Amino acid sequence: MKMQNNDTKDEGLKGNEKIEEAIFALQQEPSQELLAHALTMIRRRMKEEGQLILAVEPSVAEQLKIQAVKTADGKKWWSVFTSFEEELKGADQVKSTFLSEIGRMFEAALTVPEIAGIIINPWNRTIMLDKHLIRIIMPD
């Protein structure tokens, strides 16, 4: 598997391939150990002030509305991406994006009652972080 040249990546996204690799390993062989590893990689990127790409809905209002996807059980989740390549895998669904620090995004998600959590890379290397998992990742 060939990784993209880091020179073409936004500075805040460099290192996110570690998250993608941990999610891929978890998808191949789901286990508590690999889930813990994926959460550790996300926490590490958060502590490094890493960023994710946040999908937003176009709006004429002054406030940005974060794009939510609804799962079959009716729950709403924010969509975020580790890289522009991951975002483009579902390009017909994402209209606008911006970069956000992982920690700030998690803090915000915990305060919004109508969302269940955050889906990282909803089209491919996917992990669903409900509020319980987000609290595990967040530092004390």
Side-chain angles (χ1 to χ4, degrees):
M1 174 171 54
K2 184 175 181 281
M3 283 300 195
Q4 178 189 12
N5 181 348
N6 273 347
D7 294 340
T8 62
K9 281 192 177 182
D10 187 282
E11 194 65 35
L13 300 176
K14 289 182 181 176
N16 283 356
E17 62 276 355
K18 294 173 187 169
I19 295 173
E20 293 173 11
E21 290 164 3
I23 293 170
F24 180 72
L26 178 62
Q27 288 176 327
Q28 299 304 303
E29 188 181 325
S31 69
Q32 290 298 314
E33 292 80 13
L34 289 176
L35 174 60
H37 176 67
L39 298 179
T40 299
M41 290 297 102
I42 296 167
R43 179 185 298 125
R44 189 170 295 158
R45 287 295 299 135
M46 183 179 68
K47 288 182 177 181
E48 295 169 354
E49 297 183 2
Q51 297 179 325
L52 294 171
I53 302 164
L54 184 61
V56 294
E57 294 179 9
S59 172
V60 292
E62 290 181 26
Q63 193 171 10
L64 287 175
K65 183 174 182 192
I66 298 172
Q67 184 178 25
V69 295
K70 189 182 270 190
T71 50
D73 59 6
K75 294 180 181 177
K76 291 184 179 180
W77 302 75
W78 285 348
S79 299
V80 302
F81 306 91
T82 52
S83 66
F84 291 109
E85 292 78 18
E86 285 295 327
E87 174 201 342
L88 292 174
K89 290 176 180 165
D92 59 321
Q93 306 219 7
V94 178
K95 305 293 186 249
S96 300
T97 60
F98 70 92
L99 294 176
S100 178
E101 286 184 21
I102 297 170
R104 289 185 185 198
M105 192 182 312
F106 287 174
E107 288 170 4
L110 291 173
T111 67
V112 179
E114 58 270 14
I115 68 153
I118 294 175
I119 298 177
I120 297 178
N121 298 335
W123 324 128
N124 183 30
R125 301 233 167 138
T126 304
I127 188 168
M128 297 174 76
L129 302 174
D130 62 17
K131 291 182 179 181
H132 174 72
L133 290 177
I134 292 171
R135 285 185 191 99
I136 290 171
I137 293 169
M138 295 294 290
D140 295 329

